[in-house]
Amino acid sequence: MAALLLGTDPSKSDLHRRRLLEQSDRLLDRVEQLRLMEQGSVPPTLAAAVRALQLRLGQVDPARPRTVRAAQNLVFAVQQRLMAANPRSPQPRSHPGRAAGSPRVARLPAGGCWKLLSLPPRGAGQGDEDWRELVALTVTRALDRWSWAQGRAVGAARDRRGEAPRLVTRARVAWTNYWELRCEAEALLGEPLPAGGPGRRP
């Protein structure tokens, strides 16, 4: 989502965000109608629309809901992320269905899984400098994890091991997670982060 919403022109980014909010409102109306009709399952067209909305937000592995409850939760999660991207009230976004600041384990298309980090929320009673430091440390952690995954992928490709495609996919997901967190953090903090380097293992 960071790549979609944090563009070079803030006015265009916010317009895009508000249009996605309107689209999510329409989807939520359709889901609510099914709930009032006591329907348990979601029609394929609505499930596809919910998945497409997640894709527009740049999610790595968008879900296709099967139940009305799942569709409602996914649309609510999308709206939470869109509202968190409001430039007039910036807040760290969270993963769908997860508490703010909680990571999410994503299943990868080539097999295996990877933990996707998210930025820490502004805590009650927490000093601004402490929160800013935690944000920067989370971004550094994501960079370290990508560096480790990239090293494993390069080694497997160089040795022509059969696991190379899976490790390359994992490294790409790790990079996307890092880059989105960096873009989001710089928008929240209002300043560029210093360049980092490889360090801790995940």
Side-chain angles (χ1 to χ4, degrees):
M1 187 182 74
L4 290 174
L5 296 179
L6 303 179
T8 55
D9 188 334
S11 62
K12 290 183 179 179
S13 295
D14 192 49
L15 177 61
H16 181 57
R17 181 187 68 84
R18 285 187 276 114
R19 285 176 176 170
L20 290 178
L21 267 175
E22 291 174 1
Q23 182 182 348
S24 67
D25 281 337
R26 291 193 294 270
L27 288 177
L28 198 58
D29 286 341
R30 293 170 61 184
V31 172
E32 183 65 14
Q33 289 176 8
L34 292 175
R35 192 185 68 80
L36 292 175
M37 295 168 59
E38 298 184 352
Q39 297 292 318
S41 59
V42 176
T45 54
L46 180 55
V50 173
R51 184 176 186 274
L53 180 62
Q54 297 171 78
L55 282 171
R56 293 189 67 187
L57 292 179
Q59 288 196 210
V60 177
D61 57 342
R64 185 187 294 270
R66 296 181 180 179
T67 66
V68 171
R69 182 179 179 84
Q72 188 176 46
N73 287 339
L74 284 171
V75 177
F76 277 147
V78 164
Q79 291 190 331
Q80 181 186 31
R81 297 177 72 186
L82 289 169
M83 288 186 288
N86 186 343
R88 291 175 292 278
S89 180
Q91 293 289 336
R93 62 189 176 92
S94 61
H95 294 299
R98 306 291 295 175
S102 300
R104 179 174 66 88
V105 176
R107 296 192 178 278
L108 306 180
C113 57
W114 187 253
K115 183 168 66 175
L116 302 176
L117 304 181
S118 62
L119 297 180
R122 295 177 186 266
Q126 183 184 44
D128 186 65
E129 286 304 315
D130 291 339
W131 173 74
R132 294 171 73 90
E133 182 180 1
L134 284 176
V135 167
L137 288 173
T138 302
V139 174
T140 300
R141 176 66 168 160
L143 177 62
D144 290 346
R145 298 180 78 246
W146 165 76
S147 179
W148 178 83
Q150 179 74 356
R152 293 288 304 275
V154 169
R158 184 178 294 132
D159 298 339
R160 298 184 178 181
R161 298 199 301 268
E163 63 177 349
R166 177 176 62 83
L167 296 181
V168 168
T169 298
R170 185 173 69 179
R172 288 173 177 167
V173 171
W175 172 260
T176 299
N177 185 216
Y178 156 69
W179 188 250
E180 288 190 348
L181 287 180
R182 185 183 181 94
C183 292
E184 183 184 2
E186 290 182 343
L188 288 169
L189 301 179
E191 61 183 11
L193 293 174
R200 300 178 302 273
R201 285 193 171 196

